Amino acid sequence: MTIEETVENPLRVGMRSQRTPEPNTLVIFGASGDLTQRKLVPALYDLSLEGSLPGGFSVVGMARRPKTHSEFRSEMKGAVVQHSRTKPLQPSAWDAFAANIYYCQAEFNDPGGYVQLANMLQKIESETGCHNRLYYLATPPRYYSEIAKQLGEAGLTASDDGWTRIIVEKPFGRDLASAAELNRTLLSVFSEDQIYRIDHYLGKDTVQNILVFRFANGIFEPIWDRRYIDHVQITMAESIGIEGRGGYYERAGVIRDIIQNHALQLLSLAAMEPPATFEPDAVRDEKVKVLRAVRPIPPEDAQESTVRGQYGPGVISGQQVAGYREEDKVAAGSATETYLALRLFIDNWRWAGVPFYIRSGKRLPKRVTEIAIMFRQPPLALFPTTDGSRIEPNVLSITIQPDEGISLKFGSKVPGTGAALSIRPVEMDFRYGTSFGVAAPDAYERLLLDSMLGDATLFTRRDEVEAAWAFVNPITEGWTNPEPPSFPNYEAGTWGPDEADEFIQRDGRKWRRL
Ligand code: BG6
């Protein structure tokens, strides 16, 4: 091979070039819920608008409230008007899409409901001649196991001449034991390759671009390791609060809501080895290796290896907002964390000794998710600075949202002929908006389409989800006995508790100012 040649991966050639799935029926369990209205149906409508859905595609919404097909359709129309990415609604496109939406009223634990569903599927499929089925669990998680079992008992988990798949929303369990239990139940009626566990972060274009940036470019990978990188910071800041989800959030906290899934997914993409192919299992094998190499934080170290916070009242964008404990369905003395900072190490050859700092919180000053690769200082400080400080190190920041892009910070000579040479950090900046000028699809569009295509690359595998819980579990265990921190300990609209700054400063580092 000459140096100019690139190895063309035969498995990759032509992959995903054909992006129209086979005709299928999507059954949404929990069709009256928030997710269906805000995300799923708007994403499906947007897909249909761009011609990505096959002819013979239908949706069956299943939920407990009595409703006619036409009532359900008009509810969904309202949801699409409000939440779809493309505006305004195109009436003829909507009518064509809505003609294949149906409603099935049933209690999730009633076998009769599944007989009704089977009949409905049969009727739809007799018209399309296709027997491909995709189930979507968009109910509260306590119903997941029940629905899977009922589908099994009703003989709906496989069809003779088509595929059957199931998408499972997060949260996938609330600790390692419950996640493993849910996996066992699902696997008692479906096989692993039928199960699509969603983490919507993986559907974001900017998250997928982490892999493209690292593995489709030759110049970054050689310096992507402990020899050149001092540390990595992953920030997932939200300015919103818990948005009326007090009941759920009280039991979750940021560690279950964000860290166990979204943050650890970002970590594994940023830290993984190049996969041999871009096949689903090759990619997921590498991701899971990262999670397995993360050094555990045992319960006895949980207090000092993490900083927990909870927001009190404060001001965000000029608006006074309530504290967490004042939110609906939150206990007056709640010990749930809405902010978390932690440091972890990945014990492998690439990352030995490189700290990864992760922080995430609600009611922070702004919404921003980024991965910052903080490079080491040059070995020799050749240029004296006027105040004796060190030159700022190079930083490669990958902004996942909202101002999507990638930038590289480096030091540059300030123009001038003065005796003192002055150096200032400047940036090479790539922004999706300016470079491509098109809006990225919503994460759910991508993930729904992939699941219909049978491409599980962007879904979490059983071992992956359990490895993530295996890291989180001892931390939450370690938090249960000692007194929780005295909450609230940060004001809404600030960057979290002061302890989080002290935490990273102890290592001689500081959080990026975003
Ligand atoms: C969800 C969490 O999974 O992700 C929410 O439950 C959080 O609490 C949301 O706000 C963030 O997603 P995004 O795509 O808005 O960054």
Side-chain angles (χ1 to χ4, degrees):
M1 190 174 79
T2 66
I3 206 150
E4 289 81 22
E5 278 178 278
T6 315
V7 182
E8 191 70 87
N9 181 343
L11 284 167
R12 195 66 200 94
V13 179
M15 238 182 91
R16 295 191 191 135
S17 54
Q18 169 53 287
R19 296 281 298 169
T20 307
E22 294 170 341
N24 65 86
T25 304
L26 172 67
V27 181
I28 305 176
F29 293 89
S32 308
D34 215 36
L35 183 73
T36 307
Q37 306 220 0
R38 291 166 60 110
K39 293 289 180 189
L40 304 183
V41 174
L44 291 167
Y45 166 75
D46 285 332
L47 284 172
S48 78
L49 209 57
E50 63 177 34
S52 297
L53 292 180
F57 170 75
S58 309
V59 178
V60 175
M62 190 152 157
R64 288 166 297 175
R65 287 177 219 156
K67 230 173 266 178
T68 63
H69 297 312
S70 96
E71 281 168 346
F72 183 55
R73 284 173 196 152
S74 66
E75 244 176 53
M76 292 304 113
K77 184 175 182 180
V80 167
V81 168
Q82 212 183 334
H83 300 293
S84 91
R85 178 169 59 85
T86 50
K87 297 206 174 1
L89 181 97
Q90 297 189 19
S92 58
W94 169 258
D95 289 346
F97 175 68
N100 297 314
I101 297 183
Y102 304 92
Y103 187 71
C104 179
Q105 188 260 322
E107 292 291 333
F108 300 128
N109 59 358
D110 171 21
Y114 296 81
V115 174
Q116 217 179 300
L117 174 64
N119 291 337
M120 202 176 265
L121 287 173
Q122 231 166 33
K123 194 155 167 268
I124 295 170
E125 291 170 358
S126 68
E127 281 162 29
T128 61
C130 273
H131 303 265
N132 301 316
R133 296 165 185 176
L134 183 57
Y135 303 119
Y136 200 119
L137 300 187
T139 62
R142 63 179 179 279
Y143 296 114
Y144 290 176
S145 294
E146 179 65 28
I147 294 170
K149 282 186 208 155
Q150 293 280 354
L151 285 169
E153 278 161 28
L156 286 170
T157 53
S159 72
D160 291 340
D161 39 8
W163 48 256
T164 303
R165 300 181 188 129
I166 185 165
I167 303 178
V168 189
E169 250 305 323
K170 82 172 260 268
F172 197 96
R174 69 175 314 274
D175 52 22
L176 180 57
S178 55
E181 176 63 30
L182 178 56
N183 272 329
R184 274 194 295 276
T185 306
L186 289 168
L187 287 160
S188 68
V189 281
F190 293 96
S191 58
E192 177 62 32
D193 64 4
Q194 290 180 289
I195 304 172
Y196 288 67
R197 298 172 193 80
I198 273 212
D199 183 314
H200 80 278
Y201 264 68
L202 294 177
K204 292 179 192 271
D205 262 351
T206 43
V207 172
Q208 290 155 42
N209 199 31
I210 299 170
L211 294 186
V212 174
F213 180 77
R214 290 188 54 197
F215 304 134
N217 294 292
I219 63 169
F220 303 109
E221 214 38 36
I223 56 167
W224 207 265
D225 65 25
R226 61 191 299 277
R227 290 169 305 161
Y228 295 93
I229 295 174
D230 175 72
H231 73 285
V232 177
Q233 291 189 19
I234 299 179
T235 302
M236 303 184 74
E238 294 189 279
S239 57
I240 55 170
I242 51 164
E243 311 227 284
R245 298 189 303 155
Y248 153 76
Y249 204 86
E250 274 286 85
R251 282 171 51 77
V254 70
I255 196 162
R256 293 185 176 86
D257 189 45
I258 299 279
I259 305 293
Q260 183 273 340
N261 38 79
H262 308 323
L264 291 183
Q265 286 296 325
L266 294 184
L267 172 86
S268 52
L269 292 173
M272 69 190 262
E273 296 301 317
T277 71
F278 202 55
E279 288 293 282
D281 277 333
V283 174
R284 297 187 296 178
D285 283 347
E286 296 307 333
K287 283 170 63 198
V288 85
K289 277 190 215 160
V290 173
L291 294 174
R292 291 211 180 111
V294 173
R295 188 186 306 164
I297 297 178
E300 58 277 18
D301 294 348
Q303 291 283 15
E304 60 185 53
S305 301
T306 62
V307 175
R308 278 178 286 167
Q310 186 193 78
Y311 62 86
V315 176
I316 293 189
S317 313
Q319 296 275 321
Q320 180 70 38
V321 299
Y324 176 69
R325 289 177 175 184
E326 284 83 63
E327 304 265 13
D328 198 23
K329 297 200 186 116
V330 169
S334 170
T336 300
E337 82 291 349
T338 61
Y339 175 98
L340 181 65
L342 60 82
R343 185 189 68 177
L344 58 80
F345 289 93
I346 300 173
D347 287 337
N348 63 19
W349 275 53
R350 186 190 283 266
W351 295 115
V354 177
F356 285 73
Y357 298 92
I358 300 180
R359 61 176 164 164
S360 178
K362 297 268 187 206
R363 288 292 191 218
L364 301 185
K366 57 190 308 212
R367 174 177 187 245
V368 53
T369 297
E370 73 146 40
I371 301 173
I373 311 292
M374 316 289 288
F375 288 94
R376 287 177 185 273
Q377 293 278 9
L380 190 68
L382 204 54
F383 305 105
T385 51
T386 36
D387 62 356
S389 62
R390 291 209 75 176
I391 293 165
E392 288 194 36
N394 298 119
V395 181
L396 180 84
S397 56
I398 302 176
T399 312
I400 306 298
Q401 60 192 24
D403 187 16
E404 293 86 354
I406 299 178
S407 56
L408 179 68
K409 189 163 93 173
F410 59 97
S412 172
K413 179 183 177 304
V414 177
T417 52
L421 184 126
S422 180
I423 296 173
R424 220 177 45 208
V426 292
E427 289 198 349
M428 285 202 283
D429 207 24
F430 150 68
R431 297 289 116 191
Y432 280 79
T434 11
S435 295
F436 294 111
V438 289
D442 184 80
Y444 279 91
E445 291 175 45
R446 170 70 196 236
L447 295 173
L448 281 163
L449 197 59
D450 277 7
S451 56
M452 291 178 203
L453 288 161
D455 184 343
T457 314
L458 301 176
F459 293 83
T460 21
R461 212 168 51 186
R462 175 192 189 166
D463 48 356
E464 213 176 334
V465 93
E466 290 184 17
W469 277 120
F471 172 68
V472 162
N473 238 40
I475 300 178
T476 53
E477 238 172 71
W479 287 348
T480 50
N481 291 329
E483 283 288 294
S486 135
F487 286 157
N489 58 355
Y490 71 98
E491 239 177 73
T494 65
W495 279 103
D498 293 341
E499 291 82 1
D501 292 331
E502 292 153 20
F503 176 74
I504 192 168
Q505 276 159 16
R506 282 206 291 274
D507 292 349
R509 302 186 175 98
K510 55 183 196 281
W511 294 112
R512 269 167 61 71
R513 287 178 55 163
L514 301 171

